[in-house]
Amino acid sequence: MNDEIRIEDVRISLLELWKKKWLIISVTVLAGLVGLLFTMNKSVTNTYVATASVYSTSNSSNENGISGNTAILSYTDIATSKKICESAASLLSTKYSIDADTIQSMVSVTQASDTIVNISAVSKDSETAIEVANAMSDAFVREVTTITGLDSIQILDTASIAYLKSDGKKALLETRLLFAAFGFAASAGIIFIKELFSNRVRTIVQCIDESEEEIIGILPKIEERTR
């Protein structure tokens, strides 16, 4: 038999996949059930994100020459610092028992423009995300005002709505589908590759090599059975 893989070999392998489609379907369903069992006891957890915005518009400057417009850019890096997170935790202390380290892991800062900075907080509870985002923006404004002596940096928008960031049910469904997809790919891949590299000859075309010798037929190999 010719060792080179031909289109005919691929065709035969694809036909083999079709012949064993119920085996592939069964393995896929079984893998999906394994995924279902794997995720059955996992809790469904949603995460929410809330965002508050801080801005500066004044052109006044302090004795160091830092203007209101540049101050917010100069101090964006400290927006998630431990000191500001501690200040935010203090502002939230009457309602929430959240320490500075926890708040620091919840928040992130993005620069919307030269004069606007967004402070976001992520939490499993939507109300907590809103409160933390607002506390962080308040603490940031206070800190920058204290450092620069400028009162031009203010809160532009407080967080009032927390948006769904991660859907727990969707994540579980995706995990189960991933198990099923793995079962399908593994079973179909094994069958296809096994047939593609098999030494068995199904058609005369599989035996024709570059010499183009005429082949009248194929004699099957008959193995003697011992009794």
Side-chain angles (χ1 to χ4, degrees), residues 104-115:
Q104 199 168 36
S105 67
M106 295 169 61
V107 296
S108 62
V109 175
T110 56
Q111 186 177 319
S113 69
D114 289 344
T115 58

Side-chain angles (χ1 to χ4, degrees), residues 52-206:
S53 300
V54 176
Y55 80 113
S56 63
T57 57
S58 174
N59 289 319
S60 60
S61 60
N62 64 8
E63 59 183 6
N64 295 320
I66 299 176
S67 69
N69 286 339
T70 60
I72 195 167
L73 300 179
S74 301
Y75 294 100
T76 297
D77 291 341
I78 71 168
T80 57
S81 66
K82 187 67 172 292
K83 185 176 181 180
I84 292 180
C85 290
E86 288 174 348
S87 298
S90 178
L91 293 172
L92 294 169
S93 60
T94 57
K95 190 173 182 180
Y96 296 96
S97 179
I98 306 177
D99 58 31
D101 290 332
T102 301
I103 291 178
Q104 199 168 36
S105 67
M106 295 169 61
V107 296
S108 62
V109 175
T110 56
Q111 186 177 319
S113 69
D114 289 344
T115 58
I116 300 175
V117 168
N118 294 328
I119 300 177
S120 302
V122 177
S123 175
K124 296 177 182 178
D125 177 67
S126 59
E127 189 64 28
T128 301
I130 293 172
E131 294 287 349
V132 170
N134 288 332
M136 283 295 295
S137 61
D138 192 0
F140 176 64
V141 168
R142 294 186 186 190
E143 183 65 21
V144 176
T145 300
T146 299
I147 295 173
T148 63
L150 301 173
D151 59 0
S152 58
I153 300 176
Q154 303 292 333
I155 294 175
L156 177 63
D157 292 311
T158 58
S160 57
I161 299 175
Y163 297 95
L164 185 65
K165 178 180 176 64
S166 176
D167 190 335
K169 290 183 178 179
K170 183 179 178 180
L172 287 181
L173 178 60
E174 289 175 348
T175 300
R176 292 164 186 172
L177 290 176
L178 186 62
F179 270 83
F182 176 79
F184 174 82
S187 58
I190 290 172
I191 292 172
F192 182 84
I193 292 174
K194 183 179 178 181
E195 184 63 30
L196 186 66
F197 293 99
S198 173
N199 290 324
R200 291 183 299 173
V201 177
R202 300 294 182 86
T203 64
I204 294 177
V205 179
Q206 289 180 290

